[in-house]
Amino acid sequence: MSVHDADITSKLEYMEHRGARGDVRITCPDCSSTRAKKGERCLSVRRADDGAVLYSCWHCGFAGAIRPDRPYHQKGHLANRPPYTPPSLELPPGGLSEKAVTYLTSRGISKETAALYGAFSAVKYFRTKTWQGEAEGIGFPYIMSGQAEAAKYRMIDGKAFTQDGAARSFFGVQHVLDGSQPLTVCEGEVDCLSMAEAGVANPVSVPSGGVPKPMADNVARDSARMSFLTRNADIVKMFKKVVLALD
């Protein structure tokens, strides 16, 4: 049981009272206070069919389930926990808008490469230091075992991000072929597409960027955020050489 259960549940109930259904986004009680973007809603919360409240932070890995009859809490560093399996995500149809294609082209990424990795256009709610509201963004789906687990969005007219679901794998992992050429690990989805456009074999991106210093000092939280390596361990082990393409 988490000390944050009551807070998470009350915020979900408030959002439900206002008509929210499915996944809702709130600030994370475990990491938001330590971040530069303290107001970013990085905790995804939803109510399961049995009434349980399921939550997962895409930033720090704080995740769990609050059950009406059996309180349960999961965190990345706890031993003997049941494996977290993200629900499949239904992606919107329609592909990329002309505006999105123009933006990607300005970054040297062709429409064909973007489409290969499933990039799509969507209007989402974004928040920056000086502005918040709905805007067009480019969605980057995280595919694992043939299903989309999450989608991360980058606003086109500005640098802001949001996410549906909780990414727990490499972006682009569905296109990794074999270990004959190195695995190239990037910090962001656009970087991954740039590598693919340049003809680099086996590019992937980590789901949440580099680990900042405050988080690196917290072993438990660091382990949770790096849990995607455990999920992709069989893929990483295929390679004798891994290239880190970082800033």
Side-chain angles (χ1 to χ4, degrees):
M1 182 173 182
S2 166
V3 295
H4 302 302
D5 284 0
D7 180 49
I8 294 171
T9 302
S10 65
K11 288 181 178 178
L12 176 62
E13 290 175 347
Y14 171 74
M15 298 293 284
E16 289 176 332
H17 180 71
R18 297 185 62 185
R21 295 293 182 269
D23 280 345
V24 300
R25 299 291 294 275
I26 63 175
T27 55
C28 177
D30 203 50
C31 76
S32 289
S33 63
T34 67
R35 300 183 57 196
K37 299 179 180 179
K38 291 180 170 56
E40 185 170 21
R41 299 178 182 183
C42 52
L43 188 74
S44 176
V45 187
R46 68 183 179 91
R47 191 178 297 277
D49 292 339
D50 63 357
V53 176
L54 311 180
Y55 58 92
S56 177
C57 177
W58 63 263
H59 184 262
C60 73
F62 179 71
I66 307 166
R67 304 189 183 280
D69 57 342
R70 181 170 56 86
Y72 167 75
H73 173 63
Q74 169 186 325
K75 196 165 182 179
H77 67 289
L78 297 181
N80 303 317
R81 68 189 188 281
Y84 174 77
T85 303
S88 59
L89 186 70
E90 185 175 348
L91 301 176
L96 290 165
S97 69
E98 184 177 341
K99 183 177 182 178
V101 172
T102 298
Y103 169 78
L104 290 170
T105 301
S106 73
R107 300 288 300 267
I109 299 168
S110 67
K111 181 179 179 180
E112 292 72 25
T113 296
L116 177 65
Y117 282 78
F120 60 94
S121 294
V123 175
K124 304 297 290 185
Y125 185 91
F126 294 95
R127 180 194 298 264
T128 69
K129 291 182 179 180
T130 58
W131 177 88
Q132 58 183 317
E134 290 189 337
E136 183 176 344
I138 301 174
F140 302 96
Y142 278 70
I143 309 296
M144 193 74 174
S145 301
Q147 290 189 328
E149 295 182 342
K152 292 178 65 178
Y153 301 89
R154 189 197 197 285
M155 188 169 74
I156 296 176
D157 296 326
K159 192 172 184 179
F161 305 89
T162 188
Q163 181 172 178
D164 287 335
R168 291 286 190 276
S169 63
F170 284 123
F171 171 75
V173 71
Q174 72 271 27
H175 295 299
V176 170
L177 300 176
D178 55 48
S180 61
Q181 297 188 63
L183 179 71
T184 300
V185 181
C186 307
E187 283 190 284
E189 297 82 14
V190 172
D191 297 332
C192 177
L193 296 186
S194 298
M195 290 289 181
E197 187 71 37
V200 176
N202 304 320
V204 294
S205 169
V206 298
S208 52
V211 178
K213 184 64 165 61
M215 191 170 290
D217 292 337
N218 185 321
V219 175
R221 194 178 293 162
D222 184 13
S223 298
R225 193 175 185 187
M226 302 297 286
S227 63
F228 68 91
L229 287 174
T230 302
R231 293 197 72 212
N232 295 143
D234 290 342
I235 294 172
V236 175
K237 289 177 181 177
M238 292 173 17
F239 295 88
K240 293 182 179 180
K241 184 176 181 180
V242 176
V243 177
L244 302 181
L246 312 176
D247 293 341

